[in-house]
Amino acid sequence: MHDHISAHSQSLWSKAWTRLKRNRAAMASLTYLVLMVLACSFGPMLAPNSYSELFQSYTRVPASLSAYPRAEQIGPAIEATAARARLDLTGWQLQGDTVVIEVSARRAIDPRAVQYFDRSDLFADTRLQATDDTHATLTAQIERHWFFFGTDATGRDLFARTLIAGRVSLAIGVLAGLVAAVIGVFYGAIAGFAGGRTDQIMMRVVDVLYSLPFIFFVIMLVVFFGRNFLLMFVAVGAVLWLDMARIVRGQTLSLRRQEFVEAAEALGVSPFAILTRHIIPNLLGPVIVFLTLLVPNVIILESFLSYLGFGVQEPMSSWGILIAQGARAMPSANWMLAFPALFLISTLFALNFLGDGLRDALDPKDH
Amino acid sequence: MLRYSLRRLATALPTLLAVITLSFFMMRIAPGGPFDQERALDPVIRANMEAAYHLDLPLWHQYLIYLGNLLRGDLGPSFTMPEFTVAELFAAGLPVSVQLGGWALVLALLIGGGLGIAAALRQNGWIDVAVVAVATAGSTIPTFVVAPVFQLVFGLSLMWLPVGGWQDGAARNMVGPVVCLMLPQLAVVARLMRGSMIEALRAHHIRTARAMGLSGWSVVGRHALRSAMLPVVSYAGPAAAALLTGSVVVETIFSVPGVGRYFVDAALNRDYTVVMGAVVVVAVFTIVFNLIVDLLYAIIDPRVRYA
Amino acid sequence: MSILQDPPLIEVRNLSVHFATPEGDTQAVRDVSFAVHAGETVAIVGESGSGKSQSMMAAMGLLPGNARVTGEIAFKGRNLLTLPRRALRELRGAELAMIFQEPMTSLDPLYRIGDQLIEPIRRHSRLSAHDARARALEMLGLVRLPEPERMMRSYPHELSGGQRQRVMIAMALTNDPALLIADEPTTALDVTIQAEILALMADLQKRLGMGMVFISHDLNMVRHIADRVCVMRAGEVVEHGPVAQIFEAPQHPYTRALIDADPKGHKPPAPTNAPVLLHARDVTVTFGTAPHQVQAVRGLSLDLRAGETVGIVGESGSGKSTFARALLRLNQSEGEIRFDGVPISTLTRAQMRPYRAQMQVVFQDPFGALSPRMTAGQIVTEGLLVHRPDLTRAARDAMAAQALTEVQLNPEFRNRYIHEFSGGQRQRIAIARALILKPRLLVLDEPTSALDRMVQAQVVDLLRDLQARHQLTYLFISHDLAVVRAMADRVMVMKSGELVEEGPCAQVLHAPRAAYTKRLIAAAFDTQAMAPA
């Protein structure tokens, strides 16, 4: 009578995936997030500069797609370096990537003067050709550096730093999100499944933790555990599990009243098997949706704590730390705020759209 | 109704006690003390100071003393600002935070609520798309990004508003902090309102109202809005408690003398009494606003009163 | 037949309704035409998914946004489908009124009954607040609600389902509509209440002389209320005619099947000397804690012999399902329960497990009783994981195929997820899940109530057939006396947690002693008997 349906049907998961694929905003966000994760994972290795290297000649240089040094920077740099080497500059000229510098000195020129040039971030491979004791010609290669996002106040490449910071922020977001989810799911599922007095006590504990001022709680955790990357996200996860526990408990309570759970009880299925076979699989939908909204919350929280100065230690960084530094450098060096903020906000946007898409896909109400 | 609120209050008081107890012991067990910061104190002076603040007594005894003082309304003296009592610090700072937070809350509820309703009525229309975008932006752009940008644009570039400061609560000085406090809340309220309004408009009794030919205003404003308000009301309680007790970020960036900064500074300096004062203030606000939410809920939804 | 000469009150011409869904366009109504004259009742009858409600929702302009309507609905000479929204709003609730299936949710839970009644009165008339209130009170009296003054001050949650539906009727009739559309107004109500509401509506329709469209899934129910009947199936009108003609000379085989849809036949009697399989003495179930305690079941006893079917009949809230769950040890109870002579009321969960395979249950809701994350095969074999851990995967799969065949489902379907099955198919899967353990006792908790009438009859036939083949003992719970008559040897009638009457099926149904049983039977088998006094 109903033979027109095929022998195999899609599970709810693959149906949800089909629905998600139709949601263009969610799919674009998913693609963006995958690219962001790849960029933050492998980008720091491919970036032109290391995230921790200090370029003293290039503190707070603006973002640029063309290489440093700029033509107008070369002259003052030669003057400054020559002065440092106690040499008098008589003239210089640029020949392609090579700069030829004529210098003189009152006393004999020490060949080690080339080190002053090599030490500068602008020149490399400097050679000295003495014409006589007090005059010499220096030839140096111009060292090209790319700072796509500019540099910070200590001359570190912001491009590399933004990517490595993204690695930290995303890792904390995902790991702390998972910590919160695991604690929350187990706590909530147990409370909801046990019911009665156990449930009441467990939920009263959640109420008390809710009433604790949130910042105080986090600061206490930081004070206890120190500024440790690993413990940082444990602390964040330990704070954020409360919402998850409440959601999961509510879902569990309503699932428990479903007749298919009662049918399983009538079959003699053990409570553990009911929990794992019937309750948890049906909880996964709301949990996944909540998790995609939890991860951005963790990232915001992490950046907030970093902003307050409780984050990871230099030279490591996170988006929150970069944003804090950028905000302080605000009126003059606005690229220091713009790029980390752009990365953070676009990632959060994408996570939000993906979360909305997942909710619509997993819990379709429109039919 | 009175019995209902008394019952809610009765369950709130043990929570308050638990919060105070937990915070007290967490604070005390944490390594470090209020006199560690400065250069090493003479041991005799240190002992004298600890005795003066009862820090030499066993922890449980200190706890009982603290509870006793608290019941009399005495929050104790500050450790790091000895010229002030904790009560004086909060008496000075709390009105500032409450003013800023209050405005932010009211505006977030009105504007966010309005945007949410508009979006729900034109689901998937351009208003809806715009509201969702604004809401997402509001909840993803951190305050510590918004605040400096706000200062830059309105303070430094346009020179419309002061960059910071309080000046006894001049309206011009309040705009920046209020906007920065409001935006994330506005975003959440708009999202919540949109979702619950869409849900409410699908209810069977809305179909009844439309089948009876009631006007659009009555269907939306009288019938759908009333039930759609419920999730927003339950969100507004905790949000109000958080807003009115100040924000570290906003108060620091705009140099406003509220109480939000006490949390971080005092906890880092182990200023035990100030931290506990902040905890008590936040917990009391949370409990009071949850109570208000419960009462509002009962007023809006008659079913709750009899449950 | 003079009314047929007048122009019709409402005339539906070539109406089609499409819904745009992400999966594609679906057509809910195809080219439907019919007319209703003033003072006439037309019944639109069809099973779920036949499009019977959508056609009238289209007339009211209440279809969801993704619907596309073509054709014409002329009401007093104006096409409702092209009317501006404002003009349609003026008509709705005044000339054109509708009542719905869901009495529990159709009233706004946040406003008093009085406010909800007065609002549409003032919307469509110039009555003062005082006069509107008087009108509302008059309407509450008209629908025969007790204490109208108190009703005005009540909130919907303080009223029973039947009372709420009366309020809905009062609200719909308050502005003297020319046409009343009633969308399954009695379906969600208990049988005795159904009969009362039906009688009330028939009476009011005659007194007020309005036209009425009565939408129902139950052809036999409309027999006494309709002048003409429209039978719909899969979005199309298959037959249309005066009520007498439809019942006496149905043209279409589908109409004949609908008329004939009541479960037929009886169960062959069980041997009276068979051993008692399930014995219960003074079973009492209490819910809640001290001050708010409710006794859902009060001191009920039962002796169920092997091969026998006992039907438990009662309306919602009578405690019949609670009693059955207590017998299965799915909820806590006091009193003695013996299964096959063994006292099971004190067994622990682990001790109880071997007996679980012997006493199985099928629930009412074919949608809630099967986990949406499992395939039909996984659902059917779940009990084997507990009771036959020795079986291999292949053996379980073979047994699943066999069990599905037994309930007349294609065994190929076992790898499908249950959202692809219809209600009747789901109920068969639930039966297969219970039968695979080869139980001796099967508790059937309203197994047919959520199904269409024709599917009900098929499930009843299947259950009787399975009982004979496997010597099963049934405890059959239902509010539907027609189904119980076809299934049970003996009947227990319950009300408010207590036993009202008990005896052999034929005796209780044909010569009831208790007044409550008499009312129940009258409501179920003869709606006319409840005509207003």
Side-chain angles (χ1 to χ4, degrees):
Chain A
M1 172 172 163
H2 285 271
D3 279 22
H4 58 276
I5 29 180
S6 62
H8 285 266
S9 66
Q10 285 183 300
S11 74
L12 289 186
W13 295 116
S14 59
K15 273 182 95 82
W17 174 237
T18 315
R19 273 194 293 265
L20 187 67
K21 274 195 290 193
R22 265 199 300 262
N23 184 334
R24 260 180 288 155
M27 286 316 282
S29 300
L30 185 61
T31 317
Y32 182 80
L33 287 171
V34 169
L35 290 176
M36 180 60 85
V37 167
L38 289 177
C40 292
S41 309
F42 303 108
M45 300 169 206
L46 303 173
N49 307 301
S50 147
Y51 69 92
S52 55
E53 196 183 336
L54 304 173
F55 294 97
Q56 277 153 351
S57 317
Y58 296 116
T59 54
R60 287 197 180 192
V61 299
S64 166
L65 285 178
S66 53
Y68 282 96
R70 299 276 165 75
E72 70 272 13
Q73 285 176 309
I74 296 174
I78 293 172
E79 283 166 27
T81 317
R84 220 173 294 143
R86 292 171 202 282
L87 295 170
D88 296 322
L89 191 65
T90 48
W92 61 275
Q93 66 181 119
L94 196 61
Q95 298 169 346
D97 273 355
T98 314
V99 64
V100 180
I101 306 162
E102 307 284 341
V103 290
S104 63
R106 249 162 279 158
R107 273 172 280 163
I109 293 176
D110 187 338
R112 282 175 299 179
V114 297
Q115 287 174 0
Y116 284 98
F117 283 86
D118 280 349
R119 223 178 284 152
S120 153
D121 299 314
L122 276 72
F123 312 110
D125 206 12
T126 316
R127 281 164 219 273
L128 184 114
Q129 274 182 317
T131 37
D132 56 48
D133 262 6
T134 54
H135 289 80
T137 306
L138 289 161
T139 45
Q141 302 297 313
I142 299 279
E143 220 179 316
R144 302 270 169 200
H145 290 290
W146 279 268
F147 300 111
F148 301 129
F149 292 178
T151 60
D152 67 7
T154 52
R156 288 176 297 195
D157 178 18
L158 213 57
F159 179 66
R161 286 189 72 68
T162 305
L163 291 180
I164 201 91
R167 203 192 264 183
V168 172
S169 287
L170 288 174
I172 289 181
V174 170
L175 290 174
L178 284 178
V179 170
V182 168
I183 300 176
V185 167
F186 270 88
Y187 196 92
I190 289 170
F193 194 66
R197 172 123 325 165
T198 319
D199 177 36
Q200 275 178 13
I201 293 172
M202 288 176 80
M203 282 300 122
R204 183 44 61 87
V205 170
V206 169
D207 284 345
V208 169
L209 293 180
Y210 248 113
S211 307
L212 270 185
F214 174 72
I215 304 175
F216 166 74
F217 197 58
V218 176
I219 292 174
M220 280 298 102
L221 288 170
V222 173
V223 166
F224 270 114
F225 296 125
R227 293 180 191 181
N228 178 319
F229 172 71
L230 202 73
L231 288 167
M232 177 80 190
F233 69 74
V234 173
V236 171
V239 174
L240 288 179
W241 64 276
L242 296 168
D243 284 311
M244 185 64 105
R246 281 193 170 172
I247 290 172
V248 168
R249 169 184 172 267
Q251 293 280 333
T252 309
L253 277 180
S254 74
L255 281 173
R256 249 178 71 91
R257 284 192 288 265
Q258 297 268 315
E259 283 187 343
F260 66 82
V261 172
E262 218 173 348
E265 267 171 43
L267 288 171
V269 179
S270 69
F272 182 76
I274 289 180
L275 197 62
T276 52
R277 202 178 305 145
H278 293 288
I279 306 272
I280 304 259
N282 282 294
L283 280 176
L284 280 181
V287 166
I288 288 174
V289 170
F290 190 70
L291 194 61
T292 55
L293 299 175
L294 188 63
V295 170
N297 279 337
V298 175
I299 295 178
I300 291 177
L301 178 60
E302 185 276 331
S303 63
F304 171 65
L305 291 173
S306 298
Y307 178 83
L308 294 181
F310 301 121
V312 291
Q313 302 264 29
E314 297 283 351
M316 261 298 161
S317 197
S318 76
W319 284 335
I321 296 176
L322 293 183
I323 288 171
Q325 291 167 351
R328 264 166 233 136
M330 194 43 199
S332 55
N334 50 26
W335 62 88
M336 279 178 62
L337 177 66
F339 288 102
L342 191 71
F343 270 59
L344 174 70
I345 293 165
S346 62
T347 303
L348 297 178
F349 249 86
L351 279 165
N352 265 288
F353 282 129
L354 181 63
D356 284 352
L358 278 173
R359 182 178 48 221
D360 294 344
L362 288 167
D363 178 27
K365 283 197 181 121
D366 301 312
H367 51 74
Chain B
M1 196 74 173
L2 184 70
R3 250 199 26 237
Y4 172 81
S5 35
L6 283 178
R7 207 171 59 224
R8 306 298 292 193
L9 195 62
T11 59
L13 287 176
T15 311
L16 180 62
L17 184 67
V19 168
I20 291 171
T21 311
L22 200 64
S23 318
F24 185 90
F25 285 102
M26 254 172 63
M27 186 81 216
R28 293 306 175 89
I29 292 167
F35 307 122
D36 290 354
Q37 317 294 320
E38 298 136 51
R39 64 214 127 65
L41 280 171
D42 182 88
V44 182
I45 300 177
R46 190 189 177 103
N48 281 340
M49 284 179 74
E50 290 190 343
Y53 290 115
H54 303 299
L55 291 181
D56 53 340
L57 296 175
L59 207 50
W60 61 268
H61 197 167
Q62 293 182 39
Y63 171 68
L64 291 182
I65 291 175
Y66 185 78
L67 274 191
N69 288 340
L70 191 62
L71 282 179
R72 289 196 302 273
D74 178 7
L75 292 166
S78 165
F79 284 76
T80 49
M81 293 168 273
E83 61 273 30
F84 296 108
T85 67
V86 175
E88 283 166 355
L89 287 175
F90 279 92
L94 204 52
V96 174
S97 294
V98 167
Q99 268 189 67
L100 293 177
W103 277 111
L105 179 73
V106 169
L107 292 174
L109 288 175
L110 290 179
I111 303 173
L115 289 178
I117 294 169
L121 290 179
R122 294 276 176 275
Q123 208 188 340
N124 300 325
W126 68 267
I127 296 182
D128 188 23
V129 173
V131 168
V132 170
V134 167
T136 312
S139 55
T140 53
I141 305 178
T143 308
F144 51 84
V145 175
V146 175
V149 171
F150 188 94
Q151 285 179 325
L152 185 74
V153 173
F154 295 98
L156 293 175
S157 303
L158 298 172
M159 312 258 267
W160 290 353
L161 296 166
V163 174
W166 182 239
Q167 295 181 346
D168 292 324
R172 281 159 51 79
N173 291 60
M174 284 173 61
V175 175
V178 166
V179 167
C180 292
L181 283 172
M182 173 193 73
L183 283 178
Q185 306 298 332
L186 182 150
V188 180
V189 170
R191 254 171 186 258
L192 266 182
M193 187 53 116
R194 175 182 179 272
S196 62
M197 195 71 187
I198 289 174
E199 192 84 29
L201 285 170
R202 285 193 194 139
H204 285 146
H205 63 82
I206 293 300
R207 188 183 58 189
T208 307
R210 292 175 59 204
M212 291 312 296
L214 299 187
S215 65
W217 156 246
S218 173
V219 172
V220 175
R222 242 175 83 80
H223 292 281
L225 181 59
R226 189 159 167 180
S227 45
M229 251 157 47
L230 290 172
V232 179
V233 166
S234 17
Y235 171 77
L243 274 177
L244 299 186
T245 50
S247 145
V248 197
V249 174
V250 170
E251 289 176 9
T252 313
I253 293 179
F254 286 99
S255 320
V256 171
V259 292
R261 26 189 196 125
Y262 290 151
F263 279 105
V264 181
D265 297 347
L268 288 180
N269 296 331
R270 306 293 186 286
D271 196 337
Y272 292 147
T273 45
V274 174
V275 172
M276 285 309 295
V279 168
V280 170
V281 166
V282 171
V284 168
F285 267 77
T286 307
I287 285 163
V288 167
F289 277 96
N290 277 332
L291 204 64
I292 293 175
V293 164
D294 285 339
L295 295 181
L296 276 178
Y297 227 93
I299 289 171
I300 297 173
D301 189 346
R303 288 166 296 183
V304 174
R305 279 173 246 163
Y306 304 85
Chain C
M1 280 297 168
S2 67
I3 47 168
L4 292 182
Q5 313 310 319
D6 302 334
L9 185 63
I10 187 167
E11 190 172 8
V12 176
R13 272 193 294 267
N14 308 108
L15 181 74
S16 290
V17 179
H18 293 261
F19 288 99
T21 67
E23 282 79 19
D25 224 37
T26 55
Q27 190 167 12
V29 179
R30 290 164 201 272
D31 206 19
V32 165
S33 302
F34 64 90
V36 184
H37 293 260
E40 182 191 36
T41 299
V42 172
I44 304 181
V45 178
E47 301 193 302
S48 48
S50 62
K52 57 189 189 297
S53 300
Q54 268 80 10
S55 51
M56 290 330 286
M57 289 287 195
M60 294 290 288
L62 291 177
L63 286 172
N66 62 340
R68 196 160 43 78
V69 188
T70 57
E72 190 187 346
I73 301 178
F75 177 74
K76 291 191 167 176
R78 293 202 277 175
N79 184 359
L80 294 178
L81 298 182
T82 55
L83 219 52
R85 276 160 44 135
R86 266 192 98 80
L88 188 60
R89 270 211 296 270
E90 296 297 325
L91 285 181
R92 289 199 299 226
E95 299 268 318
L96 204 59
M98 185 159 184
I99 50 181
F100 301 96
Q101 179 175 352
E102 304 85 359
M104 303 315 273
T105 50
S106 287
L107 294 168
D108 192 332
L110 307 183
Y111 288 94
R112 294 177 197 276
I113 298 296
D115 297 336
Q116 299 192 53
L117 278 171
I118 290 169
E119 198 181 356
I121 296 175
R122 301 204 65 192
R123 161 82 176 95
H124 294 288
S125 70
R126 295 187 181 281
L127 291 185
S128 67
H130 181 265
D131 291 346
R133 197 186 138 74
R135 173 71 178 158
L137 273 171
E138 181 195 337
M139 292 311 294
L140 288 177
L142 187 70
V143 296
R144 294 197 277 280
L145 274 167
E147 299 178 73
E149 280 286 355
R150 197 176 57 83
M151 281 292 161
M152 292 282 281
R153 288 192 306 273
S154 301
Y155 286 100
H157 71 267
E158 297 168 291
L159 272 54
S160 70
Q163 287 176 322
R164 290 190 209 187
Q165 202 60 305
R166 282 172 194 265
V167 171
M168 271 304 295
I169 295 171
M171 195 193 277
L173 299 183
T174 182
N175 291 318
D176 288 323
L179 181 73
L180 175 67
I181 301 165
D183 187 359
E184 306 234 20
T186 63
T187 307
L189 303 172
D190 279 328
V191 239
T192 51
I193 316 287
Q194 275 187 13
E196 289 169 18
I197 295 287
L198 213 55
L200 173 72
M201 293 190 61
D203 174 48
L204 289 174
Q205 188 264 332
K206 284 204 178 62
R207 272 165 57 186
L208 305 176
M210 63 195 167
M212 181 154 86
V213 176
F214 192 96
I215 300 169
S216 177
H217 67 282
D218 188 345
L219 185 53
N220 292 321
M221 170 187 278
V222 304
R223 183 171 198 156
H224 305 294
I225 190 168
D227 298 309
R228 284 185 301 124
V229 177
C230 235
V231 179
M232 281 186 73
R233 183 190 192 184
E236 286 172 308
V237 175
V238 296
E239 187 162 1
H240 183 187
V243 68
Q245 183 192 317
I246 291 280
F247 278 91
E248 277 148 34
Q251 299 300 306
H252 197 279
Y254 183 71
T255 315
R256 281 200 290 276
L258 276 183
I259 295 172
D260 231 19
D262 269 357
K264 298 267 167 336
H266 297 283
K267 172 187 179 295
T272 46
N273 57 350
V276 171
L277 185 63
L278 184 70
H279 163 93
R281 273 293 156 275
D282 298 324
V283 172
T284 295
V285 181
T286 314
F287 287 132
T289 46
H292 309 289
Q293 259 180 358
V294 181
Q295 282 202 334
V297 176
R298 292 178 213 170
L300 245 58
S301 301
L302 165 77
D303 276 309
L304 187 55
R305 292 178 186 279
E308 195 181 29
T309 300
V310 168
I312 301 184
V313 176
E315 297 185 305
S316 56
S318 63
K320 55 190 193 302
S321 290
T322 310
F323 179 47
R325 281 168 166 77
L327 295 178
L328 288 166
R329 299 267 341 267
L330 289 176
N331 55 27
Q332 291 298 314
S333 63
E334 294 156 53
E336 186 192 7
I337 305 168
R338 283 170 183 272
F339 181 77
D340 205 13
V342 182
I344 57 168
S345 33
T346 52
L347 296 185
T348 63
R349 184 184 277 275
Q351 288 169 327
M352 189 65 205
R353 197 159 292 147
Y355 297 100
R356 292 266 177 228
Q358 300 186 41
M359 42 201 299
Q360 270 304 302
V361 60
V362 174
F363 291 111
Q364 167 179 3
D365 180 9
F367 293 87
L370 308 174
S371 171
R373 305 260 169 219
M374 291 162 82
T375 62
Q378 286 172 328
I379 289 170
V380 169
T381 54
E382 184 173 15
L384 295 177
L385 295 176
V386 180
H387 298 282
R388 299 284 307 276
D390 54 305
L391 289 179
T392 63
R393 200 190 176 86
R396 280 203 307 272
D397 196 51
M399 285 181 77
Q402 196 195 338
L404 289 176
T405 313
E406 187 130 48
V407 295
Q408 294 156 18
L409 278 178
N410 185 344
E412 307 269 299
F413 290 1
R414 64 186 181 280
N415 292 324
R416 287 202 203 149
Y417 288 89
I418 54 120
H419 56 83
E420 301 217 350
F421 292 97
S422 68
Q425 288 174 322
R426 290 181 197 212
Q427 211 54 300
R428 286 168 195 265
I429 294 171
I431 295 169
R433 165 174 64 188
L435 284 182
I436 205 165
L437 295 173
K438 312 222 177 305
R440 296 162 72 192
L441 169 69
L442 197 54
V443 174
L444 300 154
D445 188 359
E446 304 247 17
T448 61
S449 304
L451 305 176
D452 277 331
R453 207 67 179 149
M454 283 163 70
V455 183
Q456 274 185 9
Q458 293 162 5
V459 172
V460 165
D461 283 343
L462 172 72
L463 286 170
R464 274 200 311 235
D465 176 52
L466 290 170
Q467 181 171 37
R469 242 189 298 155
H470 301 286
Q471 293 86 48
L472 292 167
T473 307
Y474 284 167
L475 187 63
F476 190 92
I477 296 155
S478 183
H479 69 276
D480 187 340
L481 288 168
V483 177
V484 170
R485 182 172 60 182
M487 286 291 300
D489 296 301
R490 287 191 292 135
V491 176
M492 294 167 75
V493 180
M494 279 182 73
K495 187 174 191 278
S496 318
E498 283 172 340
L499 186 70
V500 174
E501 184 164 0
E502 183 179 15
C505 188
Q507 183 196 316
V508 171
L509 293 186
H510 293 122
R513 278 167 290 140
Y516 177 71
T517 319
K518 284 179 189 157
R519 274 208 294 147
L520 212 55
I521 290 167
F525 294 120
D526 187 6
T527 35
Q528 226 168 21
M530 286 304 297

